[in-house]
Amino acid sequence: MKTTSKFFNVFVCCCITATLITLAACNDYLDELPDNRTELNSEDKIEKLLVSAYFTNDPLFVCEFMSDNVDDYGDNNPNTNRFVDQVYAWQDVTEANNESPENFWANCYDRISVANTALEAIEEMGGATTTRLQHLRAEALLCRAYAHFMLANMYCQAYRSTDASEQLGIVYMDHTPTDLDENPDRPSLAYVYERIDKDIQEALPIVGSDYAVPKYHFNERAAYAFAARFYLYYEKWDKVITYANQCLGSAPKAMLRDWAYTATLIQAWDAISQHYIDASLNCNLMMLTSYSYMGLVFGPYRYLSKYSHGKYLAEHEDGEAPNIWGDDPFYSDMHTYSATNLDKTIFWKLPYLFEYVDARAGTGYYRTVYPAFTTDECLLNRAEAYVLTGQYDRAAADLTLWMQNIINTTLVLTPDDIQEFYNDVAYSYEDEAGIESTIKKHLHPSFDIGEEGGRVETMLQCVLGFRRIETLQAGMRWYDIKRYGIEIVRRVMGADGKPLRRTDVLTKDDLRRAVQIPLRIRHNSDHGGVTPNPRDTSEPRIDGKDLSGESFNPITTPKL
């Protein structure tokens, strides 16, 4: 936007050229645009500006396909492309599209700059002197914090209080720089989390919900849910509980997704997926729109189905696997699609939307809408914090509440029940070939969880298993894999739908857990570039491919 662009330094400008393909050169762009911050001289103008502070290039696809929620269905399966191949194999991605790490990086820093411009404009107006300006300031702070938080969880190793000061963070932007010679550096991950913490603490006392469509903004409950998630990753367990309580209120059951009601709707994918993203639902705290394939790859389609959440995963690791609730059913079951080169078992969640640019030519953009924060996830975040603070009965109560809400059961969980059940479950990958799996995997967090089979470890197995089901097809399993050092085996599935052979493993200390800084950003020859993440192997070749100008090129409507 013209109100922000002059203040991007060369680093940010080179990010944005990935999405603004009409720009000829960063410096030319910066030199030609005037300083329009003085136009941001009213509350209405700042509010309109902040609509652009929410990113639209999301990490959902990349995170889901890096996780253990997909398997490889064989070399003869043609339903893939080079981008998906690279993401699944934890390679340094060289392909560029709307969901690539390159465009996520660019989009985040673009939105951070919008938030910074709004904050500077508020200061130039004399500060947040009215209630509405306070709410706008809180929104800008939260947008800035959230974008940095998501960047850190993509491009850095998981936060560990034991060594965060030694881990590479991401470039932190708290202003709109004017020095074109300024070279970006990567402070420590500890520094990045401290700055995110500061933004959140400044925002929470002044956050509001007085928007025309509050669910598409950082409203109060969404802000508390974000805080609960952030402090969970920051290892501040008491704060997780505090903010989850403020989000969920005194009657959390009324705030959860009503799966029993969902079961009464017309059981068709379009109907259920549209209901899932209904902004009027109490459970959906903040909605984001995305240029994304997610509605296709996790819908009733063959598209990109070489890597799928198939029947084996469902029956052994999550939704249809033997679990603590026994034979009691989900209110809204998983759905299986099988045919030649197709093995997919999914929940009906995110819709597939298509934004036409040229209806006659059938070109446009893949789209989806998704809840960035939900009360159901917030409840499980609180359950995890309860476990890690030794409040096992409260954790079991939250786990029971989640379970009874999604499963048609009257079972009440106790810490003893949970420990006994999970101690009877074998760990994944302990067969001779190291490829068979269960709902339980070895945990290797940086913080102490006691011995395997103990109270804390078994209750965390339950929390992580429930959260895996809750966030399936939303990319968030990847963050638990990073936080808990969960090792993932890559395996090829046979014609019988069972694991055939092992091809790779992501170890607990694998450097590939931090996605590589995009090639363009780390190889900016004019200004040094951003320090890349370390790797065990040499950087991949890009085969002379020009990575620019691809992210928003219209694509043809897929044949469904």
Side-chain angles (χ1 to χ4, degrees):
M1 295 182 63
K2 290 187 178 182
T3 52
T4 65
S5 297
K6 183 178 178 184
F7 303 92
F8 295 173
N9 63 357
V10 168
F11 154 64
V12 179
C13 182
C14 288
C15 293
I16 301 307
T17 53
T19 54
L20 301 179
I21 62 176
T22 60
L23 303 185
C26 291
N27 286 345
D28 291 344
Y29 183 50
L30 290 164
D31 292 342
E32 289 172 4
L33 290 176
D35 182 353
N36 283 333
R37 267 188 307 175
T38 55
E39 296 179 2
L40 291 173
N41 53 11
S42 73
E43 295 171 344
D44 286 344
K45 291 178 180 179
I46 293 172
E47 182 173 342
K48 289 178 182 177
L49 173 66
L50 284 173
V51 171
S52 300
Y54 298 87
F55 48 76
T56 54
N57 295 74
D58 298 275
L60 307 181
F61 183 99
V62 170
C63 289
E64 190 73 6
F65 277 79
M66 287 191 299
S67 79
D68 53 359
N69 284 343
V70 291
D71 278 319
D72 181 351
Y73 278 85
D75 295 337
N76 294 326
N77 191 319
N79 300 302
T80 186
N81 59 37
R82 188 180 179 190
F83 169 67
V84 186
D85 292 343
Q86 291 179 334
V87 170
Y88 174 82
W90 309 304
Q91 294 176 359
D92 294 354
V93 176
T94 60
E95 300 298 290
N97 65 27
N98 288 346
E99 296 182 276
S100 68
E102 178 178 344
N103 283 316
F104 175 61
W105 174 284
N107 199 237
C108 279
Y109 280 110
D110 187 8
R111 275 37 180 177
I112 289 168
S113 188
V114 170
N116 284 335
T117 299
L119 290 167
E120 291 164 7
I122 291 171
E123 289 304 308
E124 290 176 5
M125 291 173 61
T129 55
T130 68
T131 299
R132 189 177 179 197
L133 282 174
Q134 287 180 343
H135 294 171
L136 293 172
R137 184 170 187 273
E139 182 179 14
L141 288 167
L142 290 165
C143 286
R144 182 170 75 182
Y146 183 53
H148 282 114
F149 175 67
M150 296 299 287
L151 284 163
N153 279 281
M154 175 71 87
Y155 299 103
C156 306
Q157 295 291 342
Y159 179 89
R160 300 182 300 229
S161 57
T162 53
D163 64 355
S165 61
E166 302 168 13
Q167 293 288 338
L168 282 173
I170 43 93
V171 181
Y172 193 91
M173 283 182 57
D174 59 1
H175 64 291
T176 47
T178 57
D179 182 0
L180 300 187
D181 295 323
E182 182 178 340
N183 283 322
D185 58 7
R186 296 181 66 180
S188 70
L189 188 57
Y191 173 84
V192 173
Y193 268 65
E194 288 167 5
R195 298 306 300 271
I196 296 170
D197 184 13
K198 181 176 182 293
D199 279 351
I200 291 174
Q201 289 303 312
E202 287 186 18
L204 289 180
I206 57 173
V207 69
S209 299
D210 54 344
Y211 301 98
V213 188
K215 292 292 186 72
Y216 282 83
H217 297 266
F218 259 115
N219 57 78
E220 291 179 71
R221 288 191 187 274
Y224 290 130
F226 171 37
R229 186 192 299 175
F230 170 72
Y231 289 110
L232 188 72
Y233 292 19
Y234 201 15
E235 302 177 9
K236 311 286 188 185
W237 320 127
D238 289 336
K239 286 189 174 182
V240 178
I241 296 167
T242 295
Y243 294 121
N245 287 343
Q246 290 179 271
C247 173
L248 296 168
S250 59
K253 180 176 175 58
M255 296 299 298
L256 299 181
R257 187 175 300 278
D258 191 343
W259 285 109
Y261 173 73
T262 300
T264 69
L265 301 176
I266 295 173
Q267 294 302 296
W269 176 70
D270 283 343
I272 301 300
S273 62
Q274 290 292 337
H275 177 69
Y276 186 84
I277 64 164
D278 187 341
S280 70
L281 300 179
N282 288 339
C283 59
N284 290 335
L285 301 177
M286 189 176 86
M287 312 303 295
L288 293 179
T289 61
S290 174
Y291 292 97
S292 178
Y293 296 102
M294 291 297 283
L296 275 174
V297 295
F298 292 105
Y301 307 112
R302 194 185 297 270
Y303 191 69
L304 297 181
S305 59
K306 181 180 191 293
Y307 308 107
S308 284
H309 184 276
K311 192 69 173 173
Y312 183 89
L313 270 174
E315 291 182 343
H316 290 79
E317 296 194 29
D318 49 61
E320 296 181 348
N323 216 310
I324 196 166
W325 52 76
D327 295 329
D328 293 330
F330 281 87
Y331 282 109
S332 187
D333 288 332
M334 302 189 84
H335 302 270
T336 296
Y337 304 89
S338 60
T340 303
N341 287 328
L342 181 64
D343 186 334
K344 182 185 291 189
T345 298
I346 57 172
F347 288 111
W348 286 340
K349 287 188 175 181
L350 303 187
Y352 160 59
L353 308 172
F354 196 82
E355 177 187 348
Y356 282 97
V357 172
D358 186 333
R360 179 171 295 181
T363 59
Y365 306 127
Y366 295 112
R367 287 280 207 168
T368 197
V369 176
Y370 69 96
F373 300 101
T374 67
T375 53
D376 304 75
E377 182 226 343
C378 191
L379 178 73
L380 293 174
N381 291 344
R382 186 173 72 177
E384 182 178 338
Y386 278 147
V387 173
L388 292 167
T389 54
Q391 301 179 70
Y392 307 126
D393 288 337
R394 289 184 174 182
D398 277 355
L399 291 168
T400 298
L401 180 56
W402 179 88
M403 178 188 68
Q404 291 182 347
N405 188 61
I406 197 170
I407 303 291
N408 189 359
T409 184
T410 57
L411 177 67
V412 175
L413 301 177
T414 69
D416 286 342
D417 294 336
I418 293 169
Q419 186 170 2
E420 181 181 357
F421 174 81
Y422 281 92
N423 275 331
D424 286 340
V425 177
Y427 286 96
S428 296
Y429 314 135
E430 296 201 335
D431 58 296
E432 184 176 353
I435 55 177
E436 295 178 4
S437 52
T438 70
I439 62 171
K440 192 169 80 170
K441 297 183 180 180
H442 293 287
L443 308 180
H444 308 96
S446 62
F447 46 88
D448 182 28
I449 61 171
E451 63 182 0
E452 288 190 337
R455 178 75 88 204
V456 175
E457 192 261 357
T458 51
M459 292 199 73
L460 287 173
Q461 291 285 355
C462 186
V463 171
L464 293 170
F466 284 12
R467 186 155 55 226
R468 186 176 184 183
I469 293 171
E470 174 61 36
T471 64
L472 190 64
Q473 302 158 211
M476 293 190 64
R477 169 68 173 174
W478 177 244
Y479 306 131
D480 286 347
I481 287 167
K482 293 178 68 168
R483 292 190 306 119
Y484 277 90
I486 298 172
E487 298 192 339
I488 304 176
V489 164
R490 284 302 191 220
R491 58 199 177 187
V492 175
M493 308 302 284
D496 59 358
K498 297 179 181 179
L500 179 64
R501 67 179 186 276
R502 178 167 162 165
T503 59
D504 198 359
V505 59
L506 190 77
T507 61
K508 61 185 179 65
D509 297 317
D510 204 305
L511 296 176
R512 294 174 296 178
R513 289 172 178 267
V515 172
Q516 187 56 278
I517 302 299
L519 185 71
R520 181 195 308 279
I521 307 306
R522 69 183 191 268
H523 282 172
N524 178 6
S525 59
D526 292 335
H527 294 274
V530 174
T531 303
N533 286 322
R535 286 291 184 263
D536 290 331
T537 58
S538 59
E539 258 184 336
R541 293 172 55 86
I542 62 169
D543 300 326
K545 181 176 177 61
D546 178 10
L547 301 183
S548 65
E550 295 190 4
S551 68
F552 279 88
N553 287 346
I555 53 179
T556 302
T557 310
K559 296 180 180 179
L560 307 180

